[in-house]
Amino acid sequence: MLYGVGAVGLWSTVATAFKWSLATMRPIELMSIAALVSWAFISMLVMRKGEMPTALRHGWHQALWAGMMNPVAYYLMLFAAYDRLPGQEAMAINYTWALTMALLAVPILKQRLTLVDLAAGLISYAGVWVIATRGDVFNVNFADPVGVGLALFSTLLWALYWLFNRRDERAPLVAQWQNFTVGLPVLWGLMLWQTGLQWHGWASLGAGVYVGLCEMGIAFVLWQLAVHTVSRTAKVSNLIFLSPPISLLLLHVVIGEPILSSTLLGLVLILGGLGMQQLQKAPQDDAVAEH
């Protein structure tokens, strides 16, 4: 649980870094810089732990699909959503991945779905509807349907990635290094093809480095350790509700985004659903832990 808290604390700051960087860079440029920094950071950790020989020899069959899923597909979807939507909206919708993860754990990990899980889902996704319509809940014309769709699809990719990782026999750091080793040349190839190498200033570069180090590096390692050691997936995934209020405040203070009333109401619903799920009694936890 402490690993999860550490990851969530870092994730509270990255929405601001995303919007800061995307003001001057395209999503593929931010993604390429951040992925390179994260790969370098994880490489140092792998070498320090003496796991590089194992990383070079085994596990590449798993890394081929995992690396294309994360970092490539997930972050390209996420950054594209942040590029189109206000940071507060993209951030709030993205946080529903915790609920998506708990729901998908039913068919993938054979965990039990309860009535509380269903009720939490209805409440949380009602919050997504409020945010997507910016409070005009009876109007199906979203302010930016493409942006909302990208944000929701990113939650699906993120949840699936971590659930599939539960069956990954690679050591967490080795898995992350291999995944980024596979994804990095794909990202840089896409960037060179779309935009080429461009200089956008030290502030943008610094934000990209921060995203790579904290969001994709340190936070990845902490969250992977949390998912691999927790007894029930929903138990750690719901720690995410600690982060949105801090993210909103930083977006307002640093970026200058006015906080929309629809975002606040939607977040209350999202966090209410996640809180309901977190508080439910889970008798299967003991059985899982004993097993």
Side-chain angles (χ1 to χ4, degrees):
M1 296 297 284
L2 288 176
Y3 290 142
V5 169
V8 168
L10 291 174
W11 282 329
S12 298
T13 68
V14 293
T16 299
F18 289 167
K19 292 302 291 185
W20 183 286
S21 303
L22 291 171
T24 56
M25 288 192 290
R26 295 180 63 180
I28 186 61
E29 293 177 299
L30 174 58
M31 183 67 235
S32 298
I33 293 172
L36 178 60
V37 171
S38 180
W39 177 83
F41 169 75
I42 296 171
S43 296
M44 289 188 294
L45 293 180
V46 171
M47 288 187 289
R48 183 174 180 179
K49 293 189 67 175
E51 294 181 332
M52 187 59 74
T54 299
L56 292 172
R57 287 196 302 265
H58 307 291
W60 290 102
H61 65 288
Q62 184 86 5
L64 288 176
W65 69 263
M68 295 304 298
M69 196 171 187
N70 177 27
V72 178
Y74 168 68
Y75 273 103
L76 286 179
M77 294 296 104
L78 181 63
F79 288 175
Y82 268 93
D83 198 35
R84 298 184 65 97
L85 297 173
Q88 60 192 282
E89 294 184 1
M91 176 272 298
I93 295 173
N94 183 251
Y95 275 118
T96 61
W97 75 264
L99 179 68
T100 305
M101 184 175 176
L103 296 176
L104 289 175
V106 175
I108 294 175
L109 301 182
K110 309 303 180 184
Q111 293 181 356
R112 182 169 60 87
L113 183 66
T114 67
L115 291 177
V116 174
D117 290 325
L118 292 174
L122 290 174
I123 293 172
S124 291
Y125 284 107
V128 172
W129 184 267
V130 171
I131 292 170
T133 60
R134 295 185 181 172
D136 191 5
V137 295
F138 297 107
N139 187 349
V140 296
N141 293 320
F142 293 169
D144 191 328
V146 175
V148 171
L150 289 168
L152 286 173
F153 188 62
S154 73
T155 68
L156 178 64
L157 289 173
W158 185 251
L160 286 172
Y161 172 79
W162 288 111
L163 287 171
F164 290 153
N165 263 359
R166 286 290 298 268
R167 298 175 178 175
D168 192 344
E169 296 181 354
R170 297 175 296 169
L173 279 178
V174 169
Q176 205 62 28
W177 181 81
Q178 290 180 335
N179 294 350
F180 272 71
T181 301
V182 168
L184 191 59
V186 175
L187 290 168
W188 275 79
L190 286 173
M191 183 192 67
L192 293 174
W193 174 57
Q194 291 186 9
T195 67
L197 288 174
Q198 298 185 31
W199 176 248
H200 299 286
W202 289 107
S204 296
L205 178 61
V209 171
Y210 180 84
V211 169
L213 186 61
C214 294
E215 160 74 0
M216 300 180 185
I218 298 172
F220 266 11
V221 173
L222 291 175
W223 190 256
Q224 199 160 36
L225 289 169
V227 171
H228 274 75
T229 55
V230 75
S231 61
R232 185 171 183 262
T233 304
K235 195 173 183 179
V236 69
S237 67
N238 286 319
L239 285 172
I240 209 72
F241 77 90
L242 298 171
S243 183
I246 303 173
S247 295
L248 271 182
L249 180 62
L250 289 174
L251 284 166
H252 178 66
V253 172
V254 179
I255 304 298
E257 280 193 8
I259 300 176
L260 303 177
S261 57
S262 57
T263 301
L264 290 175
L265 177 57
L267 265 180
V268 168
L269 291 171
I270 290 170
L271 298 181
L274 295 178
M276 177 188 299
Q277 190 182 58
Q278 176 72 16
L279 292 174
Q280 71 174 308
K281 186 177 180 180
Q284 69 269 39
D285 284 2
D286 294 336
V288 174
E290 291 171 1
H291 178 72

